[in-house]
């Protein structure tokens, strides 16, 4: 087993370290979601935390890590008698993005359950993580139904496995840690709310701190065991502090005045529901225990708010997480006027307002020395406060976006802000797909309504009971059935086929030329595309953005799950110049061709936003029509959003829609309350699906 990087050797990233430590002190806080760019020690910190957790006493031989002093009476390996048990280190269990439901929650042997009446159960990762750490890297890429199962187990402290009336339950209490890069897509707000704390991490811009990070990492890579040994004293001290805080935690007093501050803060920031209040209370209590105090103070409430509220403030995927600290301080002062608990001075850890609290940064095994030689692994006195506050980007509206420099030779206008987004009518791809789970088009999925049965390919996950009994019934006499039980063989088992919804690749092709450059009209166009992006986010689609103007088209955003990145690109989109419509369609064709090879099961939906005009070169309209027929020949589902305005209408967008083999809809008709089924299902050429 490889030697993990010491937790105390991590440089900076104070919010990240504090969030993990508070959950180690009080798992009831509800876990932590770590958001940030790649290469910021997210995974390193999580894996290092396990070495600081106290050892876990377990019942010998129990696959579900039952506590010998209070064994779970419903344990599938039980019943257990109380006894001394054995001790083992706390586990860190990693959940892969591509894990199946059975791998997460465990699997029942359906054949034995039907034929022998035995609940033969193979534990999953939730059982392995019981009383330890469950780590989900790239949690935003995890299938939604797995995230739901994961968070339900974390909330209830138990996992339930149901298969056709056969039920198994076991305890599943763990410290849940998820990490994600927001550029790869966001979690749904409902799922964000289920994480107790969220921290933002970013690479430090301080030169000395970056030097120290590299120095320590090189020293660790050269000699992991020796490096860990030099940090053993700091690791032991931190481990003992966690254990002491756990002992102190039940004695910490949460006064009525502090509770009033918590409630006032949540009300002032208009967070939904009551989970935020509960998480803040638990976090503030853990902060007090971590500081060695038996009473929660106003500064604990402030730090708890900075950790528990930012991700609950998001109203749509284009909002950057964050909290107005000046408003927070004002709210706490006002609430403090009604109570005698705590004080509002900012002289505690993190009082300067960097976001979250700052755990003590160990000076390391040796005295700090800025002049340390290259390659020397003696830790330096890194500046307090990591660069973890983040600078939320990706706002989908407003006028604060950066403007690109005008390309040479282009008659470019400044970017126009998007109009207010609206609820868009759902566009879907016809036929039945087999893509990733989502909420747009019909597809064969693991979850949904049962439509039939088939022989299982690999492990059986969803039993079709009636079809299984029907397959086994004719063979009962030949198999020597004598009792009441049904004699079932592997070949009799039938997998239920289900129909649900899939996510698609929605590729936007947006006209940014002079013909669309009237500022008011372009604002409406951006608002419409923003509305479709919001719809794509809610339906778990991938999105891409192709724009065309001047002499060429460009891929403004390659297909991604990050719709807020698409919104940011859209907001800064310049306009002006000629209208190379054919170039935009051909560029989209190239993008879809590559994506079909990369992810053949994900069906595309082409959304062309244009007034249909085309300029540049001989007969540009005919050239655009030929490019449209290229998409139609491949059966690409498409819709044209007609942006033409004015009294005289040429109808070029509708003509382009016919060439694409799809439908056309005006900006007004795109609204969910205005359209009457025109594009409920987008017609694809040939309807081959």
């Amino acid at each position: 087993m490889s030697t993990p990087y010491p937790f105390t050797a991590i440089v900076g990233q104070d919010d990240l370290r504090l969030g993990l430590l508070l959950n180690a002190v009080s798992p009831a806080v509800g876990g932590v979601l770590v958001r940030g760019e790649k290469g910021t020690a997210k995974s390193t910190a999580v894996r290092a935390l396990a070495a600081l957790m106290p050892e876990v006493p377990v019942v010998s031989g129990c696959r579900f890590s039952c506590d010998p002093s209070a064994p779970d009476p419903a344990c599938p390996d039980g019943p257990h008698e109380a006894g001394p048990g054995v001790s083992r280190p706390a586990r860190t269990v990693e959940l892969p993005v591509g894990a199946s439901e059975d791998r997460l929650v465990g699997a029942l042997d359906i054949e034995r359950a039907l034929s022998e009446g035995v609940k033969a159960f193979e534990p999953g990762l939730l059982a392995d993580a019981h009383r330890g750490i469950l780590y989900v890297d790239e949690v935003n890429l995890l299938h939604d139904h797995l995230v739901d199962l994961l968070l339900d187990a974390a909330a209830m402290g138990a996992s339930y496995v149901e298969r056709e009336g056969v039920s198994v339950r076991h305890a599943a209490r763990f410290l849940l840690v998820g990490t994600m890069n927001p550029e790869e897509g966001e979690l749904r707000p409902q799922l964000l709310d289920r994480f107790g704390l969220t921290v933002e991490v970013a690479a430090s811009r301080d030169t000395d701190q970056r030097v120290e990070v590299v120095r320590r990492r090189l020293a660790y890579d050269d000699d992991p065991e020796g490096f860990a040994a030099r940090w053993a004293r700091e690791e032991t001290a931190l481990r003992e502090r966690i254990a002491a805080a756990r002992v102190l935690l039940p004695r910490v007093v949460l006064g009525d005045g502090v509770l009033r501050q918590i409630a006032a803060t949540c009300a002032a920031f208009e967070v939904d529901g009551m989970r935020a209040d509960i998480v803040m209370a638990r976090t503030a209590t853990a902060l007090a225990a971590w500081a060695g105090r038996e009473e929660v103070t106003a500064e604990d409430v402030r730090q708890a708010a900075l950790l528990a509220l930012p991700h609950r403030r998001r109203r749509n995927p284009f909002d950057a997480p964050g909290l107005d600290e000046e408003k927070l301080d004002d709210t706490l002062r006002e609430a403090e006027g009604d109570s005698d608990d705590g004080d509002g001075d900012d002289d505690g850890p993190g009082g300067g307002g960097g976001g979250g609290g700052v755990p003590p940064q160990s000076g390391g095994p040796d005295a700090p020395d800025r002049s340390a030689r290259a390659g020397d692994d003696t830790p330096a006195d890194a500046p307090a406060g990591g660069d973890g506050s983040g600078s939320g980007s990706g706002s989908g509206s407003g006028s604060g976006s950066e403007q690109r420099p005008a390309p040479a030779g282009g008659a470019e206008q400044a970017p126009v802000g998007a109009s207010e987004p609206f609820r868009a009518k759902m566009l879907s791809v016809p036929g039945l797909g087999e893509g990733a789970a989502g909420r747009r088009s019909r597809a064969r999925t693991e979850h949904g309504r049962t439509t039939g049965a088939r022989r299982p390919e690999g492990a059986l996950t969803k039993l079709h009971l009636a079809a299984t009994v029907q397959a086994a019934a004719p063979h009962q006499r030949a198999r020597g059935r004598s009792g009441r039980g049904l004699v079932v063989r592997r070949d009799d088992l039938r997998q239920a086929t289900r129909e649900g919804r899939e996510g698609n690749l929605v590729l936007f092709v947006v006209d940014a030329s002079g013909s669309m450059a009237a500022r008011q009209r372009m604002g409406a166009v951006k608002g419409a595309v923003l509305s479709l992006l919001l719809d794509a986010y809610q339906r778990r689609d991938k999105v891409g953005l192709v724009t065309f103007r001047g002499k060429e088209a460009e891929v403004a955003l390659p297909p991604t799950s990050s719709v807020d990145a698409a919104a940011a690109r859209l907001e800064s989109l310049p306009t002006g110049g000629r209208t190379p419509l054919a170039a935009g369609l051909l560029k989209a064709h190239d993008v879809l061709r590559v994506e079909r090879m990369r992810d053949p099961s994900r069906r595309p939906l082409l959304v062309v936003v244009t007034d249909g005009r085309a300029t540049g070169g001989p007969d540009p309209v005919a050239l655009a029509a030929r490019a449209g027929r290229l998409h139609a020949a491949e059966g690409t589902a498409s819709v044209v959003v007609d942006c033409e305005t004015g009294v005289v209408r040429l109808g070029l967008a509708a003509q382009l829609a016919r060439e694409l083999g799809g439908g056309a809809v005006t900006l007004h008709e795109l609204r969910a309350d205005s359209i009457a089924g025109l594009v409920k299902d987008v017609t694809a050429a040939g309807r081959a699906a």
Side-chain angles (χ1 to χ4, degrees):
M1 182 177 178
S2 61
T3 303
Y5 191 91
F7 189 89
T8 50
I10 296 172
V11 179
Q13 304 298 12
D14 301 307
D15 287 357
L16 169 59
R17 292 185 292 119
L18 182 65
L20 292 173
L21 290 171
L22 291 178
N23 275 275
V25 171
S26 175
V29 166
V32 57
L33 176 65
V34 186
R35 298 163 43 92
E37 59 197 34
K38 51 187 176 294
T40 49
K42 300 189 296 292
S43 300
T44 298
V46 175
R47 296 187 178 109
L49 181 66
L52 301 176
M53 303 288 283
E55 286 199 339
V56 179
V58 298
V59 174
S60 179
C62 178
R63 298 174 298 166
F64 301 88
S65 301
C66 280
D67 186 344
S69 63
D72 182 2
C75 175
D77 283 356
H80 304 298
E81 293 185 3
V86 296
S87 293
R88 63 162 175 79
R91 294 173 180 157
T92 295
V93 176
E94 297 192 28
L95 173 62
V97 169
S100 65
E101 180 178 337
D102 283 348
R103 183 72 185 98
L104 176 63
V105 301
L108 280 169
D109 190 332
I110 299 298
E111 184 176 355
R112 292 188 63 191
L114 290 177
S115 59
E116 303 175 29
V118 175
K119 294 182 181 180
F121 181 68
E122 184 65 29
L125 294 176
L126 292 179
D128 293 341
H130 179 45
R131 305 174 69 197
I133 300 171
L134 183 60
Y135 172 44
V136 190
D137 193 14
E138 297 180 326
V139 64
N140 51 323
L141 304 183
L142 198 65
H143 282 263
D144 282 355
H145 74 281
L146 292 182
V147 178
D148 289 332
L149 290 170
L150 180 65
L151 295 176
D152 283 343
M156 296 186 296
S159 174
Y160 294 85
V161 183
E162 302 281 349
R163 293 288 189 275
E164 301 297 336
V166 181
S167 175
V168 172
R169 172 214 169 272
H170 65 82
R173 291 182 294 276
F174 45 81
L175 193 166
L176 176 63
V177 183
T179 57
M180 60 174 282
N181 184 345
E183 294 178 357
E184 297 172 339
E186 286 285 357
L187 280 172
R188 303 198 316 265
Q190 300 94 319
L191 301 182
L192 276 174
D193 184 55
R194 298 290 290 274
F195 281 93
L197 311 179
T198 294
V199 296
E200 297 279 337
V201 296
S204 173
R205 301 299 182 256
D206 180 87
T207 302
D208 291 335
Q209 201 171 78
R210 294 176 75 97
V211 166
E212 189 59 30
V213 169
V214 175
R215 179 181 291 125
R216 295 187 189 184
R217 186 69 209 191
L218 292 177
Y220 170 78
D221 291 341
D222 288 342
D223 182 11
E225 291 79 8
F227 184 84
R230 285 189 287 275
W231 287 88
R233 185 173 59 186
E234 285 68 24
E235 292 284 287
T236 300
L238 191 57
R239 188 181 300 111
E240 292 173 351
R241 183 174 177 185
I242 292 173
R246 284 187 167 192
V247 172
L248 179 62
L249 185 67
R251 303 200 302 269
V252 175
V253 177
L254 187 70
D256 289 343
V258 171
L259 276 175
R260 182 172 293 277
Q261 287 183 314
I262 291 172
T265 301
C266 292
F269 285 97
E270 300 179 348
V271 295
D272 296 330
M274 295 297 298
R275 185 174 283 117
D277 304 64
I278 296 171
V279 170
M280 273 190 65
R282 289 172 174 167
T283 304
T285 303
L287 279 162
W290 176 248
R293 288 183 275 101
E294 294 188 5
E295 186 174 358
V296 176
T297 67
E299 180 56 32
D300 295 328
V301 175
R302 184 181 192 277
Q303 293 183 25
L306 291 170
L307 291 169
L309 296 188
H311 61 296
R312 294 182 167 91
R313 286 280 299 144
R314 301 190 81 203
R315 288 295 181 262
N316 66 63
F318 312 134
D319 292 337
L323 210 64
D324 184 340
E325 295 190 35
E326 184 176 346
K327 178 179 178 181
L328 172 61
D329 292 334
D330 291 342
T331 301
L332 291 175
R333 279 193 293 269
E334 291 175 5
E336 188 181 17
D338 299 329
S339 69
D340 296 325
D341 291 316
D343 58 49
D345 297 333
D346 291 334
D347 54 2
V358 180
Q361 174 78 34
S362 173
D366 300 303
D369 183 5
R370 287 288 184 198
S371 61
R373 298 182 304 275
D376 185 4
D377 57 282
T378 55
D381 185 15
D387 191 14
S389 58
S391 56
S393 62
S395 175
S397 59
S399 57
S401 60
E402 295 182 2
Q403 298 181 6
R404 300 180 185 175
E412 183 173 298
Q413 300 179 14
V416 181
S419 62
E420 187 70 22
F422 52 83
R423 188 169 68 89
K425 187 67 177 182
M426 185 181 75
L427 311 177
S428 61
V429 179
L432 196 63
E434 295 182 341
R439 303 177 65 186
R440 184 173 296 279
S441 305
R442 293 173 54 225
R444 287 181 285 269
T445 61
E446 286 294 316
H447 299 270
R449 64 185 182 90
T450 301
T451 58
R454 60 175 174 81
R455 291 182 181 274
E457 299 173 0
L460 179 71
T461 56
K462 300 292 183 182
L463 177 74
H464 195 296
L465 184 59
T468 298
V469 172
Q470 188 176 16
H475 308 290
Q476 296 305 296
R477 180 175 297 178
R479 294 172 182 173
R481 174 188 173 188
S482 58
R484 298 178 60 184
L486 190 67
V487 182
V488 179
R489 300 285 187 261
R490 175 69 185 174
D491 289 343
D492 301 328
L493 299 179
R494 294 295 182 268
Q495 175 86 19
T497 58
R498 298 171 182 261
E499 182 179 311
R501 293 280 172 177
E502 68 176 0
N504 298 107
L505 166 59
V506 183
L507 182 61
F508 295 94
V509 181
V510 180
D511 184 348
S513 66
S515 68
M516 296 275 290
R519 297 187 68 82
Q520 184 175 1
R521 189 183 348 157
M522 197 63 198
V525 169
K526 286 188 176 182
V529 178
L530 197 64
S531 302
L532 291 170
L533 282 171
L534 180 59
D535 181 70
Y537 165 80
Q538 294 168 339
R539 301 190 187 282
R540 313 305 289 167
D541 295 316
K542 290 180 68 174
V543 297
L545 179 62
V546 172
T547 64
F548 58 93
R549 58 177 294 276
K551 296 181 179 180
E552 60 185 13
E554 67 168 340
V555 181
L557 183 73
T560 175
S561 298
S562 179
V563 295
D564 50 345
R569 299 292 176 87
L570 178 72
E571 183 66 22
S572 61
L573 179 66
T575 59
R578 293 184 176 182
T579 313
L581 177 56
L585 294 173
L586 291 174
K587 181 67 72 173
H589 181 268
D590 290 342
V591 171
L592 294 180
R593 176 178 56 81
V594 173
E595 286 301 308
R596 284 191 180 98
M597 292 187 291
R598 181 177 296 157
D599 189 0
S601 64
R602 189 180 288 270
R603 297 186 295 165
L605 173 61
L606 184 68
V607 179
V608 185
V609 184
T610 180
D611 56 10
R613 291 180 172 84
T615 58
D619 204 354
V621 175
L623 191 61
R626 288 174 55 190
R629 289 194 292 272
L630 188 61
H631 285 280
E634 296 187 352
T636 302
S638 61
V639 62
V640 176
V641 179
D642 185 357
C643 303
E644 187 176 30
T645 58
V647 179
V648 179
R649 301 176 63 86
L650 303 179
L652 295 175
Q655 180 180 331
L656 175 62
R658 288 191 294 271
E659 299 291 354
L660 286 165
V665 56
T666 66
L667 288 174
H668 175 69
E669 291 170 333
L670 190 61
R671 293 177 178 270
D673 55 359
S674 302
I675 190 168
L678 180 60
V679 287
K680 174 72 175 180
D681 284 320
V682 181
T683 305
R687 301 183 68 88

